[in-house]
Amino acid sequence: MSERRRLGLDFHGQVFLHFLSASSISTSSFNLAASLAEEGNAQGFSGGRVLGFFGSLWSAAPFGFGEVQLGLTWEQAGDIWVRARGGVVAPVLRIAVALCMVMSVMLVFEKILMGATSLFSKVFSQWRPRRRYKFEPIGEDLEVGYPTVLVQIPMYNEKQVYKLSIGAACGLSWPLDRLIIQVLDDSTDPEIKNLVEEECKTWRSKGFSIKYEIRDNRHGYKAGALKEGMKHSYVGQCDFVVIFDADFQPETDFLIETIPFLIHNPDIALVQTRWKFVNSNECMITRIQEMSMDYHFKVEQESGSTMYSFFGFNGTAGVWRISALEEAGGWKDRTTVEDMDLAVRATLCGWKFVYLGNVKVKSELPSTLKALRSQQFRWSCGPANLFRKIHLEILKTKKVAAKKKIYLIYSFFIVRRILSHTVTFMFYCVVIPFSVFVPEVKVTPWGVVYIPTTITLLNSVGTPSSFHLLLFWIFYENVMSMHRMRAVMTGLFETGKVNEWVVTKKLGNKSQEDKTEQPCKQSTLNISGRFLLPELGMALYLFICACYDFRHGKNNYCFYIFPQAITFFIVGIGYVGTFIPS
């Protein structure tokens, strides 16, 4: 060993011994730590540092660990660690780094392509929907006239928002004799069912054709309700069906802006509009969700509509051609993403989709952590499970070109729905932090800095007004990536809660009312009921990695790992979002 290296190790050992002698640790603990420091220095530079670091934690612990008699000397332990690190840990970590780098490159190129396509469609007006497809405003003087439209509003115990959605649907500018509103109420609360039924009767008395439909079970959840709704005889009068979730409030001109695309373009099956959020400024997690959702609509949906006339149906704020819906096989409840399932089957039949970014429908973002986690689990598990069930159907179909098949399997499913969540968690929350313990493995700067920076900047284009929140967005998305990756694995392997449907609770104005009327309720909540052990475990793991990197590392990863650990801890104790007293 070189003199410089030996002196460096001796220095660390002496500092470690000085720290122990100045603290109130038992004699046996001190002797154990002293032995550890000496043996650690004897193992070599990196091995001594690792043993010294964990030895300091061991000896300073208040649990009496120093009294434990080990059957293995520290010299032997250090030798085992160095050998295992060089022969097993380092090679495995190199493979993990390489795989994560490949997935990161796949993801960043996908995002660059989508961003470029979205920008192209905005710069060159001939690629905008009204220029690409025939569009003529509907008027009474046209031969086609006004087609009969069915508006479906599925709901489940929606006490806070049922009036908003029903009122907005009845406010649509459309001849009353050509508009049928169908409220599909799966509520299990008798009081709420009565309220919804009375609201329907009120609008019916005003001349609206509004149907209140219920079932004696909730089989198939939302997909089951929509499927049952299509079986009623009066649906045969309708050419198109519009779907609004219970918290969605369309503008009065919604049908006037969307229906003409379906009337004048017989090859179009779906017109999807953009969501606009009424509570985006409610708290930090709604601001962060707004950034992600705006990117989804402005970039992902826009680029899919431009390149392939295909994108995933968002389940609401869209208009379907009923004949296309029926040709695709109707609603199926085999996954928790019945909307995406229908969209994929329809495009496999040769139908086209159109996304209208200029038509916006007001809706609500989940503002509580529990509601958000349930929604994100369903949105991550469902697509992975759908890919498992439909990939062979995509490959075998004859009505779709090979280019579109590749897009569906590679871009739409594998990169965006599976790899994106996996690489975000594994690379930035597991592999990079663990690399601080294995100096033999180096992660190149373009993998640590350039790729994530590019992805972050591309995601910021959807909501420029929230650019200052990018760092919060990064740390929060990394935390949620663990929950999403677990959901993806659940969907891919069909384990656990793969088909569990938890309705995202809508609060309407309740959160604001509670903040006004009961401002002190938040402090009296039982925080122990909100603990998330996986997130707290990740917080501890990252904190240890950050401490070690701060003391011994040379890459300054600790400046990223420390705030990421804090974010995991904050989410782990549930101290995010709004708190609604029961």
Side-chain angles (χ1 to χ4, degrees):
M1 181 185 299
S2 67
E3 184 66 19
R4 180 179 178 183
R5 187 177 181 185
R6 184 187 63 78
L7 290 174
L9 295 173
D10 289 343
F11 173 76
H12 284 288
Q14 293 300 324
V15 169
F16 178 54
L17 288 172
H18 179 71
F19 167 78
L20 291 174
S21 63
S23 60
S24 56
I25 302 175
S26 65
T27 303
S28 59
S29 297
F30 176 80
N31 292 336
L32 178 63
S35 173
L36 168 62
E38 293 173 1
E39 298 296 345
N41 283 335
Q43 297 308 313
F45 189 70
S46 300
R49 282 184 172 181
V50 173
L51 289 174
F53 176 75
F54 284 104
S56 64
L57 296 178
W58 178 284
S59 301
F63 311 108
F65 283 160
E67 306 291 344
V68 178
Q69 297 297 321
L70 301 177
L72 194 68
T73 67
W74 287 106
E75 180 179 2
Q76 293 172 326
D79 184 62
I80 291 173
W81 161 246
V82 172
R83 290 176 180 273
R85 191 187 67 196
V88 180
V89 178
V92 172
L93 189 60
R94 287 193 186 96
I95 294 173
V97 170
L99 290 174
C100 289
M101 296 288 273
V102 170
M103 289 189 289
S104 297
V105 171
M106 294 166 65
L107 183 60
V108 75
F109 272 105
E110 183 68 20
K111 287 187 174 292
I112 290 174
L113 178 60
M114 289 190 298
T117 304
S118 177
L119 180 63
F120 178 84
S121 66
K122 289 178 172 61
V123 171
F124 298 97
S125 60
Q126 64 267 30
W127 286 91
R128 296 173 187 171
R130 288 202 181 190
R131 299 288 295 275
R132 289 184 65 191
Y133 302 100
K134 185 179 180 181
F135 181 93
E136 292 181 9
I138 294 180
E140 293 182 1
D141 55 331
L142 291 180
E143 276 186 28
V144 292
Y146 286 87
T148 304
V149 177
L150 174 69
V151 178
Q152 290 185 313
I153 309 175
M155 56 178 60
Y156 173 75
N157 293 336
E158 309 287 1
K159 185 177 182 179
Q160 306 301 328
V161 295
Y162 72 93
K163 285 188 176 182
L164 297 175
S165 56
I166 295 175
C170 292
L172 293 170
S173 296
W174 206 256
L176 293 185
D177 62 335
R178 299 298 178 90
L179 183 66
I180 300 176
I181 300 171
Q182 187 184 66
V183 178
L184 304 169
D185 190 9
D186 271 0
S187 299
T188 54
D189 187 324
E191 179 187 355
I192 297 176
K193 293 181 76 170
N194 291 333
L195 291 172
V196 176
E197 186 174 10
E198 287 301 316
E199 184 70 12
C200 292
K201 289 180 179 179
T202 300
W203 284 102
R204 191 179 300 120
S205 67
K206 297 178 181 180
F208 289 88
S209 177
I210 183 168
K211 311 292 184 180
Y212 178 72
E213 307 291 356
I214 60 175
R215 302 187 292 165
D216 57 4
N217 62 75
R218 291 192 64 221
H219 179 72
Y221 304 108
K222 180 181 175 181
L226 293 171
K227 185 177 182 178
E228 285 296 316
M230 296 298 294
K231 294 180 179 179
H232 293 280
S233 59
Y234 55 81
V235 176
Q237 310 170 35
C238 305
D239 302 300
F240 311 109
V241 56
V242 189
I243 300 164
F244 293 120
D245 282 352
D247 59 315
F248 277 70
Q249 306 164 52
E251 299 294 336
T252 57
D253 63 348
F254 178 87
L255 296 178
I256 294 174
E257 293 289 335
T258 56
I259 294 295
F261 285 98
L262 295 163
I263 292 176
H264 300 294
N265 302 275
D267 57 342
I268 291 178
L270 167 68
V271 177
Q272 173 71 58
T273 61
R274 182 181 160 192
W275 300 358
K276 179 182 179 182
F277 308 107
V278 297
N279 65 331
S280 58
N281 293 323
E282 187 170 348
C283 58
M284 180 62 75
I285 64 170
T286 55
R287 291 292 299 274
I288 292 174
Q289 286 179 79
E290 182 189 33
M291 296 173 66
S292 298
M293 294 302 296
D294 281 352
Y295 173 83
H296 167 71
F297 282 103
K298 291 183 178 181
V299 179
E300 290 185 359
Q301 301 294 73
E302 185 82 58
S303 62
S305 178
T306 301
M307 284 191 296
Y308 297 100
S309 298
F310 168 78
F311 46 81
F313 174 43
N314 293 112
T316 178
V319 188
W320 276 94
R321 185 187 301 275
I322 291 181
S323 60
L325 190 154
E326 292 173 346
E327 183 184 348
W331 296 102
K332 293 185 178 181
D333 58 5
R334 57 180 176 175
T335 70
T336 57
V337 284
E338 74 295 324
D339 43 15
M340 185 181 293
D341 189 353
L342 175 60
V344 174
R345 285 184 282 113
T347 201
L348 294 182
C349 293
W351 290 97
K352 294 182 179 180
F353 302 164
V354 175
Y355 167 71
L356 302 180
N358 62 308
V359 181
K360 304 174 184 177
V361 181
K362 291 185 290 186
S363 63
E364 179 184 324
L365 288 165
S367 58
T368 65
L369 182 61
K370 181 179 180 180
L372 176 61
R373 283 171 59 85
S374 297
Q375 182 196 72
Q376 293 298 308
F377 188 91
R378 187 174 77 247
W379 285 3
S380 301
C381 175
N385 189 233
L386 177 61
F387 175 69
R388 173 191 175 104
K389 294 177 177 179
I390 207 170
H391 68 281
L392 291 178
E393 188 176 342
I394 296 174
L395 293 173
K396 293 177 181 178
T397 185
K398 304 295 184 181
K399 295 183 179 180
V400 176
K403 182 180 179 181
K404 197 167 188 177
K405 291 181 182 181
I406 295 173
Y407 171 76
L408 282 169
I409 292 178
Y410 172 79
S411 298
F412 186 75
F413 278 113
I414 294 179
V415 176
R416 298 186 208 170
R417 269 74 191 180
I418 298 175
L419 295 188
S420 60
H421 305 316
T422 304
V423 70
T424 300
F425 175 67
M426 291 303 299
F427 196 29
Y428 302 112
C429 299
V430 178
V431 173
I432 291 178
F434 187 74
S435 68
V436 303
F437 298 116
V438 187
E440 294 91 342
V441 177
K442 302 294 181 183
V443 184
T444 59
W446 63 270
V448 178
V449 179
Y450 303 141
I451 286 182
T453 300
T454 302
I455 293 175
T456 301
L457 292 177
L458 288 172
N459 274 278
S460 69
V461 301
T463 316
S465 61
S466 298
F467 187 81
H468 61 290
L469 299 176
L470 272 181
L471 285 179
F472 295 99
W473 179 84
I474 292 170
F475 295 128
Y476 170 79
E477 284 293 301
N478 286 347
V479 172
M480 288 304 296
S481 68
M482 180 173 73
H483 186 62
R484 292 172 183 144
M485 191 190 80
R486 185 164 61 244
V488 167
M489 296 301 109
T490 300
L492 278 178
F493 298 105
E494 289 196 320
T495 60
K497 302 177 180 180
V498 63
N499 289 317
E500 183 181 50
W501 179 286
V502 179
V503 176
T504 305
K505 187 176 181 180
K506 289 86 175 178
L507 302 178
N509 296 321
K510 186 178 189 305
S511 61
Q512 298 300 326
E513 292 170 0
D514 287 331
K515 289 177 184 177
T516 302
E517 298 172 6
Q518 304 176 21
C520 297
K521 283 287 186 178
Q522 178 172 329
S523 62
T524 62
L525 292 175
N526 180 16
I527 195 172
S528 63
R530 300 197 307 270
F531 283 167
L532 302 173
L533 295 182
E535 280 75 6
L536 291 176
M538 280 301 303
L540 177 61
Y541 163 72
L542 291 171
F543 183 75
I544 293 174
C545 294
C547 288
Y548 181 81
D549 186 68
F550 179 76
R551 184 173 181 181
H552 301 299
K554 297 181 180 179
N555 296 315
N556 296 319
Y557 290 165
C558 59
F559 294 106
Y560 154 73
I561 302 175
F562 268 129
Q564 187 64 74
I566 293 171
T567 308
F568 265 102
F569 177 76
I570 292 173
V571 174
I573 62 174
Y575 205 74
V576 292
T578 58
F579 300 92
I580 307 302
S582 58

